[in-house]
Amino acid sequence: MPLDQQRRVAFKLKTQFEEVETARKALASQRQEIINLGYAYIRASIEQSDTSEFRLGDVLDEVKKGIGENWADYPVLGATRDGLAPAREPPGKQPQRYKPVFAGTVFYNPMRILIGSIAYVDDNDQPGITSPDYVALQGKAGKVDSRWFYYWLRSPYGVQCINSLARGAVRERMLFNRLAEGAIRLPPYREQLRVSKALAQLQPLKAAVQRQLDDLNKIPERLLALAFNPGAKE
């Protein structure tokens, strides 16, 4: 390819990449606004209700038992800073020990909870299994709604609680026995359920934005393929 043609291609790619990045930032900002709205629901439910303080270990149940022999029927799920995601690695040598994470389950990576690797399996999400090294939790009926708790845990309230229990190391392992010592201010259970329904309505909005982001992230590779192989299909 002649040098002048290379320059034209490079300039065109630079312009296209800048447009993609602008769109990506706009979608990322939109996604964050949806997340912030969820946190605002949590804050309002706490600040505008008669709350009672509880020890986390008294309102949560830990999922300890492995899935068993039917582990292959479920996808392996992981927890990231963006929430629920497919796990990067397949099950290990003892897949039967992988924990079931079905609808209504909150789970987190105990080595990465300080940076927000926390997930929630919502009603419309496919149930799965997760590493036996992860901590999986469910709210006790009548005490705490799991969806409400998930948003609380990722909100500034949860971050403050987690930090109060940490010993300073970023790569610290925080199992349930430590998290259980944390304190939480809970509004009445009926108020949690009301807010939880509002939070559920945010899920499809956030998922739609995430799909757009995922599609957008594939565009640079396609642009490069077209630039250096004009005969390729978009």
Side-chain angles (χ1 to χ4, degrees):
M1 183 184 294
L3 183 59
D4 60 339
Q5 187 177 352
Q6 293 180 35
R7 288 172 176 166
R8 286 195 299 272
V9 170
F11 178 78
K12 184 178 180 180
L13 282 173
K14 181 176 181 293
T15 302
Q16 291 173 324
F17 285 172
E18 288 175 349
E19 292 173 350
V20 170
E21 180 60 16
T22 298
R24 189 196 67 78
K25 288 181 178 179
L27 284 170
S29 176
Q30 185 177 353
R31 181 183 62 182
Q32 189 59 49
E33 287 176 3
I34 295 171
I35 293 171
N36 289 342
L37 179 58
Y39 297 159
Y41 288 161
I42 296 297
R43 183 174 66 250
S45 71
I46 292 174
E47 295 182 355
Q48 299 175 14
S49 301
D50 291 328
T51 60
S52 300
E53 186 168 302
F54 294 88
R55 176 179 169 273
L56 283 172
D58 294 332
V59 297
L60 298 170
D61 287 322
E62 182 180 10
V63 178
K64 296 180 179 181
K65 188 176 179 180
I67 188 66
E69 297 302 324
N70 61 336
W71 62 270
D73 295 340
Y74 300 97
V76 184
L77 303 176
T80 72
R81 281 179 286 186
D82 292 326
L84 189 68
R88 294 182 180 180
E89 299 178 359
K93 294 181 179 180
Q94 295 181 301
Q96 300 87 350
R97 294 182 58 236
Y98 272 59
K99 297 176 181 178
V101 282
F102 297 168
T105 303
V106 178
F107 66 102
Y108 66 85
N109 182 337
M111 294 294 292
R112 298 176 64 85
I113 189 174
L114 291 175
I115 60 172
S117 293
I118 307 166
Y120 175 68
V121 183
D122 216 320
D123 294 340
N124 295 325
D125 293 322
Q126 183 178 6
I129 57 176
T130 197
S131 169
D133 295 329
Y134 277 32
V135 176
L137 309 165
Q138 292 178 341
K140 290 185 178 181
K143 292 289 187 179
V144 61
D145 175 78
S146 292
R147 185 186 292 112
W148 187 96
F149 172 71
Y150 167 69
Y151 276 84
W152 178 90
L153 191 60
R154 294 186 68 103
S155 77
Y157 292 106
V159 172
Q160 182 179 9
C161 177
I162 292 167
N163 288 337
S164 72
L165 299 169
R167 294 170 181 157
V170 175
R171 296 285 294 177
E172 182 183 12
R173 192 164 176 251
M174 187 174 291
L175 298 177
F176 181 63
N177 59 355
R178 177 103 60 86
L179 186 70
E181 296 303 318
I184 185 171
R185 285 171 55 203
L186 289 177
Y189 190 63
R190 289 181 63 181
E191 173 65 9
Q192 293 178 46
L193 294 179
R194 185 190 68 80
V195 172
S196 182
K197 289 180 179 179
L199 293 171
Q201 295 176 5
L202 299 181
Q203 182 63 19
L205 298 177
K206 190 167 66 171
V209 173
Q210 187 60 54
R211 285 193 296 270
Q212 294 179 66
L213 273 169
D214 293 341
D215 290 341
L216 201 63
N217 289 334
K218 298 174 184 175
I219 291 179
E221 184 178 348
R222 295 173 184 166
L223 292 175
L224 286 170
L226 287 170
F228 295 101
N229 185 13
K233 294 183 180 180
E234 293 192 37

